[in-house]
């Protein structure tokens, strides 16, 4: 039995101050643990590149390196991926519908349209750009793809002098209407702020509101790196850095792309195969293509020769990335839970999986090492060694994550015959679920949702009561308000003490389904009642009253006799003193 609440709970009024104080005093935090650890599986992407074609782009990028960077994104797309193109300035136009990358004609059409872009617009209508992104995705919901809009601009929201008074309304429409629709339809917005003239603050706010990312690129020469990194992250692709003079290709790799970043437009790059053959642009081996641009070289390999390949460059800087498009070995990275709150560490588990046959199985090699690099919103990355487990996996836990925001974890595995890495991004939310238990009869458990909680698509909470004297019992909590769940524990006894654990299941806006276990919350043992002294008894027995009255009469009679005797003695003494004997009256 579960109780569910659907819809937005992110903008509710927080509970009264007294309730927060009670919650803070009674809650014992513990790391949220996942019942089913999440694994961010690789998915194909549906992407729309939205290109700023205002006239300022000619000055920002005179050599059209931004066009080559966008072409790289299209060329990296593989089976199942689909990429389209829109251009915007004074208005937005869909140039190439989102088409399958397996269709060679669709891929060629994308490349041709990028080359034909004309940069002569007068304004930068960001609202029109976002509207074009929504219109490009016909399906309201698609769980089989990661859907994203990649927006490149070198400017800020600018509607020109004729529409200047409309800019405030356009900004409001972006924040209050268009971005919530991106959120609702699970479309991630990735923004690239190109040059310092771009409105980095607004672009970042737009990306964060739609579970995307924002990047700043100040030099056109490095734009391709932003496009390739966005592709790797969105695709969940395996990769490895090209930062040494050689690379190791193992026999499991079937499709591979190498992107070499150039230090100068005229830099020459070549590869020496394991068979000692030199290949380069214009002179490649079978199953290999080589595209050279002023900013980068892209080398694509089908079933490359296993072994060590040497990299020969005329420049003295090794920079680039290898992207594995198809392999029979997958580097899997699992995070402990899909919904992560501040104040708790995060468990990381990783392993190599052989997917060449079904069922898949864990792949083990001698000498393999796993490391994880965790990047927080602020501060330098932290590197953790992952420790080998009995089942063949490697795992570690981070320190307590105290800062909210977007994190990333990059796991790298190396063996004598292979190298690869995979990056996962995740959001750390301010503590969302605040629980408390009262011992007063009947005992009550409450869970308040902090005002910073995201909007959950569904949410159910159960409480499990455990004590030494009674079997475990579980009850659902009901939403008495959108931000408050509670249930009576009528079977709980303050004399038994015990504790309560919370089981929270939900579906977040970006994380998908998640399960958290929080607690235990202690149920304070009620003190035994203190017996007050009984009041003195008041009796109404007639016998008792009679005896008491007789006793009182006797006392009064004795006092009267004493009084008479005393009076007689007094008068006798006076008469004798006067010389008159006392006579009987």
């Amino acid at each position: 039995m579960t109780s569910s609440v659907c819809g937005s709970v992110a903008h509710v009024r927080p509970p009264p101050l007294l309730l927060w104080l009670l919650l803070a005093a009674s809650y014992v935090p513990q790391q949220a643990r996942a019942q089913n650890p999440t694994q961010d599986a690789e998915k194909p992407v549906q992407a729309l590149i939205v290109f700023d074609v205002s006239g300022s782009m000619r000055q920002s990028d005179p050599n059209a390196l931004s066009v080559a960077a966008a072409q790289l994104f299209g060329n990296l797309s593989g089976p199942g991926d689909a990429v389209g193109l829109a251009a915007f300035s004074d208005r937005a136009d869909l140039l190439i519908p989102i088409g399958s990358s397996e269709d060679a004609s669709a891929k060629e059409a994308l490349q041709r349209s990028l080359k034909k872009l004309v940069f002569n617009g007068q304004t930068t209508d960001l609202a029109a750009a976002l509207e074009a992104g929504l219109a490009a995705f016909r399906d309201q919901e698609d769980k089989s793809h990661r859907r994203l809009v990649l927006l490149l601009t070198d400017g800020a929201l600018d509607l020109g002098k004729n529409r200047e008074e409309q800019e405030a309304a356009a900004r409001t429409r972006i924040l209050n209407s268009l971005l919530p629709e991106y959120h609702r339809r699970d479309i991630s917005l990735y923004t690239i702020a190109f040059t310092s003239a771009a409105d980095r603050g607004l672009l970042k706010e737009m990306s964060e509101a739609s579970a995307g990312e924002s990047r700043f690129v100040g030099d056109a020469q490095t734009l391709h790196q932003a496009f390739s990194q966005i592709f790797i992250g969105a695709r969940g692709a395996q990769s490895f850095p090209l930062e040494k003079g050689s690379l190791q290709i193992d026999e499991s790799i079937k499709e591979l792309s190498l992107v070499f970043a150039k230090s100068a437009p005229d830099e020459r790059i070549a590869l020496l195969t394991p068979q000692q053959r030199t290949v380069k642009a214009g002179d490649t081996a079978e199953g290999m293509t080589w595209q050279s641009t002023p900013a980068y070289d892209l080398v694509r390999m089908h079933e490359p020769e296993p072994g060590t390949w040497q990299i020969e460059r005329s420049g003295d800087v090794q920079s680039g990335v290898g992207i594995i498009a198809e392999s029979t070995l997958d580097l899997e990275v699992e995070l402990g839970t899909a919904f992560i709150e501040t104040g708790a560490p995060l468990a990381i588990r990783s392993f190599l999986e052989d997917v060449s046959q079904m069922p898949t199985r864990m792949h083990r090699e001698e000498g393999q090492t796993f490391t994880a690099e965790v990047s927080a919103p602020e501060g330098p990355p932290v590197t953790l060694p992952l420790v080998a487990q009995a089942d063949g996996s490697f795992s570690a836990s981070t320190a307590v994550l105290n800062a909210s925001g977007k994190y990333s974890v990059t796991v790298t595995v190396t063996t004598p015959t292979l190298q690869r890495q995979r990056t996962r991004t995740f959001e750390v939310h301010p503590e969302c679920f605040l629980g408390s238990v009262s011992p007063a009869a009947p005992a009550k458990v409450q869970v308040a949702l902090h005002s910073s909680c995201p909007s959950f698509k569904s949410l159910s909470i159960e409480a499990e009561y455990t004590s030494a004297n009674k079997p475990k019992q579980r009850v659902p909590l009901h939403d008495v308000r959108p931000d408050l769940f509670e249930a009576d524990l009528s079977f709980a006894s303050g004399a038994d003490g015990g504790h309560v654990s919370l089981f929270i299941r939900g579906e977040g806006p970006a994380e998908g389904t998640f399960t958290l276990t929080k607690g235990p919350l202690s149920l304070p043992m009620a003190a035994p009642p203190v017996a007050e002294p009984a009041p003195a008894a008041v009796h109404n027995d007639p016998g008792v009253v009679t005896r008491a009255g007789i006793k009182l009469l006797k006392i009064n009679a004795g006092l009267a006799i004493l009084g008479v005797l005393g009076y007689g003695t007094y008068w006798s003494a006076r008469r004798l003193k006067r010389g008159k004997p006392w006579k009987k009256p």
Side-chain angles (χ1 to χ4, degrees), residues 311-323:
I311 303 173
E312 300 174 348
R313 306 185 64 152
S314 59
D316 57 358
V317 177
Q318 296 285 353
S319 178
V321 63
I323 304 171

PDB file of all heavy atoms in Angstrom, residues 311-323:
ATOM      1  N   ILE A 311      51.332   8.453 -31.616  1.00  0.00           N
ATOM      2  CA  ILE A 311      50.808   9.720 -32.127  1.00  0.00           C
ATOM      3  C   ILE A 311      51.984  10.625 -32.481  1.00  0.00           C
ATOM      4  O   ILE A 311      52.856  10.888 -31.635  1.00  0.00           O
ATOM      5  CB  ILE A 311      49.910  10.414 -31.084  1.00  0.00           C
ATOM      6  CG1 ILE A 311      48.766   9.485 -30.655  1.00  0.00           C
ATOM      7  CG2 ILE A 311      49.349  11.730 -31.635  1.00  0.00           C
ATOM      8  CD1 ILE A 311      47.938  10.027 -29.503  1.00  0.00           C
ATOM      9  N   GLU A 312      52.031  11.055 -33.736  1.00  0.00           N
ATOM     10  CA  GLU A 312      53.091  11.943 -34.200  1.00  0.00           C
ATOM     11  C   GLU A 312      52.492  13.304 -34.536  1.00  0.00           C
ATOM     12  O   GLU A 312      51.598  13.402 -35.378  1.00  0.00           O
ATOM     13  CB  GLU A 312      53.796  11.345 -35.423  1.00  0.00           C
ATOM     14  CG  GLU A 312      54.430   9.985 -35.135  1.00  0.00           C
ATOM     15  CD  GLU A 312      55.015   9.333 -36.389  1.00  0.00           C
ATOM     16  OE1 GLU A 312      54.715   9.831 -37.500  1.00  0.00           O
ATOM     17  OE2 GLU A 312      55.759   8.356 -36.253  1.00  0.00           O
ATOM     18  N   ARG A 313      52.990  14.350 -33.869  1.00  0.00           N
ATOM     19  CA  ARG A 313      52.447  15.692 -34.057  1.00  0.00           C
ATOM     20  C   ARG A 313      53.583  16.677 -34.260  1.00  0.00           C
ATOM     21  O   ARG A 313      54.650  16.554 -33.645  1.00  0.00           O
ATOM     22  CB  ARG A 313      51.614  16.137 -32.850  1.00  0.00           C
ATOM     23  CG  ARG A 313      50.514  15.154 -32.464  1.00  0.00           C
ATOM     24  CD  ARG A 313      49.644  15.667 -31.350  1.00  0.00           C
ATOM     25  NE  ARG A 313      48.908  16.867 -31.765  1.00  0.00           N
ATOM     26  CZ  ARG A 313      47.736  17.223 -31.253  1.00  0.00           C
ATOM     27  NH1 ARG A 313      47.151  16.474 -30.327  1.00  0.00           N
ATOM     28  NH2 ARG A 313      47.141  18.321 -31.660  1.00  0.00           N
ATOM     29  N   SER A 314      53.329  17.686 -35.120  1.00  0.00           N
ATOM     30  CA  SER A 314      54.335  18.722 -35.319  1.00  0.00           C
ATOM     31  C   SER A 314      54.358  19.704 -34.150  1.00  0.00           C
ATOM     32  O   SER A 314      55.380  20.338 -33.894  1.00  0.00           O
ATOM     33  CB  SER A 314      54.066  19.482 -36.627  1.00  0.00           C
ATOM     34  OG  SER A 314      52.765  20.072 -36.598  1.00  0.00           O
ATOM     35  N   GLY A 315      53.253  19.820 -33.444  1.00  0.00           N
ATOM     36  CA  GLY A 315      53.212  20.667 -32.253  1.00  0.00           C
ATOM     37  C   GLY A 315      53.709  19.903 -31.040  1.00  0.00           C
ATOM     38  O   GLY A 315      53.919  18.687 -31.073  1.00  0.00           O
ATOM     39  N   ASP A 316      53.908  20.615 -29.929  1.00  0.00           N
ATOM     40  CA  ASP A 316      54.435  19.974 -28.718  1.00  0.00           C
ATOM     41  C   ASP A 316      53.367  19.741 -27.662  1.00  0.00           C
ATOM     42  O   ASP A 316      53.671  19.456 -26.514  1.00  0.00           O
ATOM     43  CB  ASP A 316      55.570  20.818 -28.129  1.00  0.00           C
ATOM     44  CG  ASP A 316      55.123  22.247 -27.818  1.00  0.00           C
ATOM     45  OD1 ASP A 316      53.953  22.571 -28.100  1.00  0.00           O
ATOM     46  OD2 ASP A 316      55.949  23.021 -27.292  1.00  0.00           O
ATOM     47  N   VAL A 317      52.090  19.875 -28.036  1.00  0.00           N
ATOM     48  CA  VAL A 317      50.994  19.690 -27.090  1.00  0.00           C
ATOM     49  C   VAL A 317      50.152  18.497 -27.522  1.00  0.00           C
ATOM     50  O   VAL A 317      49.720  18.412 -28.670  1.00  0.00           O
ATOM     51  CB  VAL A 317      50.108  20.957 -27.007  1.00  0.00           C
ATOM     52  CG1 VAL A 317      48.921  20.712 -26.075  1.00  0.00           C
ATOM     53  CG2 VAL A 317      50.924  22.143 -26.528  1.00  0.00           C
ATOM     54  N   GLN A 318      49.946  17.566 -26.579  1.00  0.00           N
ATOM     55  CA  GLN A 318      49.075  16.419 -26.842  1.00  0.00           C
ATOM     56  C   GLN A 318      47.712  16.722 -26.233  1.00  0.00           C
ATOM     57  O   GLN A 318      47.587  16.871 -25.020  1.00  0.00           O
ATOM     58  CB  GLN A 318      49.661  15.141 -26.228  1.00  0.00           C
ATOM     59  CG  GLN A 318      50.988  14.706 -26.823  1.00  0.00           C
ATOM     60  CD  GLN A 318      50.827  14.082 -28.197  1.00  0.00           C
ATOM     61  OE1 GLN A 318      49.722  13.860 -28.665  1.00  0.00           O
ATOM     62  NE2 GLN A 318      51.951  13.806 -28.854  1.00  0.00           N
ATOM     63  N   SER A 319      46.700  16.836 -27.076  1.00  0.00           N
ATOM     64  CA  SER A 319      45.367  17.147 -26.578  1.00  0.00           C
ATOM     65  C   SER A 319      44.339  16.525 -27.503  1.00  0.00           C
ATOM     66  O   SER A 319      44.455  16.624 -28.723  1.00  0.00           O
ATOM     67  CB  SER A 319      45.161  18.666 -26.511  1.00  0.00           C
ATOM     68  OG  SER A 319      43.862  18.974 -26.075  1.00  0.00           O
ATOM     69  N   GLY A 320      43.359  15.887 -26.921  1.00  0.00           N
ATOM     70  CA  GLY A 320      42.305  15.272 -27.712  1.00  0.00           C
ATOM     71  C   GLY A 320      41.568  14.224 -26.911  1.00  0.00           C
ATOM     72  O   GLY A 320      41.819  14.035 -25.714  1.00  0.00           O
ATOM     73  N   VAL A 321      40.653  13.534 -27.569  1.00  0.00           N
ATOM     74  CA  VAL A 321      39.845  12.540 -26.895  1.00  0.00           C
ATOM     75  C   VAL A 321      39.509  11.423 -27.870  1.00  0.00           C
ATOM     76  O   VAL A 321      39.302  11.662 -29.065  1.00  0.00           O
ATOM     77  CB  VAL A 321      38.556  13.177 -26.321  1.00  0.00           C
ATOM     78  CG1 VAL A 321      37.676  13.733 -27.425  1.00  0.00           C
ATOM     79  CG2 VAL A 321      37.777  12.186 -25.466  1.00  0.00           C
ATOM     80  N   GLY A 322      39.506  10.196 -27.369  1.00  0.00           N
ATOM     81  CA  GLY A 322      39.038   9.049 -28.136  1.00  0.00           C
ATOM     82  C   GLY A 322      37.640   8.683 -27.662  1.00  0.00           C
ATOM     83  O   GLY A 322      37.393   8.574 -26.451  1.00  0.00           O
ATOM     84  N   ILE A 323      36.709   8.523 -28.593  1.00  0.00           N
ATOM     85  CA  ILE A 323      35.314   8.233 -28.265  1.00  0.00           C
ATOM     86  C   ILE A 323      34.962   6.868 -28.836  1.00  0.00           C
ATOM     87  O   ILE A 323      35.044   6.657 -30.055  1.00  0.00           O
ATOM     88  CB  ILE A 323      34.374   9.315 -28.825  1.00  0.00           C
ATOM     89  CG1 ILE A 323      34.795  10.690 -28.302  1.00  0.00           C
ATOM     90  CG2 ILE A 323      32.928   9.018 -28.450  1.00  0.00           C
ATOM     91  CD1 ILE A 323      34.076  11.838 -28.966  1.00  0.00           C
TER      92      ILE A 323
END
